[in-house]
Amino acid sequence: MATYEIPLSGQAQSFQTTIANVTYTLTLIWRDAASEWVLDIADANGNPLVQGIPLVTGCDLLAQYGYVGFGFQLWVATDGDPDAVPTYDNLGTQSHLYAVTP
């Protein structure tokens, strides 16, 4: 298994990244009402694959989407307290998104 961090900034963002030899478009948005970051994943052409995944810690964010066949896992961890959810202010600095490939 290989683990690597997907670099994030502390703001809403959309960018392309390659994971397990496939290019994806990741979009992260802060939801004020829920006080949480959510992740949308699309293919390289912008076609949605999954949307509205809350960035929570302690689990593979893609576990419930096995039918999509991503072939990797996504995990979130926060420095100092791996179980603390990302806040508006610490995404990409203290809270990190990791891809785990087989």
Side-chain angles (χ1 to χ4, degrees), residues 2-89:
T3 301
Y4 67 93
E5 183 174 356
I6 298 171
L8 302 176
S9 65
Q11 59 190 7
Q13 58 203 284
S14 185
F15 59 93
Q16 288 194 330
T17 189
T18 301
I19 306 169
N21 298 316
V22 178
T23 301
Y24 296 96
T25 302
L26 303 183
T27 302
L28 289 114
I29 302 167
W30 177 256
R31 300 284 187 212
D32 281 328
S35 295
E36 69 183 1
W37 287 100
V38 294
L39 171 67
D40 295 343
I41 303 175
D43 66 17
N45 296 317
N47 299 307
L49 299 173
V50 293
Q51 296 180 303
I53 304 169
L55 292 189
V56 297
T57 57
C59 65
D60 171 16
L61 300 180
L62 301 179
Q64 63 183 327
Y65 304 105
Y67 61 90
V68 178
F70 285 109
F72 62 92
Q73 300 176 353
L74 287 178
W75 292 79
V76 175
T78 301
D79 297 342
D81 181 359
D83 294 325
V85 296
T87 67
Y88 180 78
D89 297 319

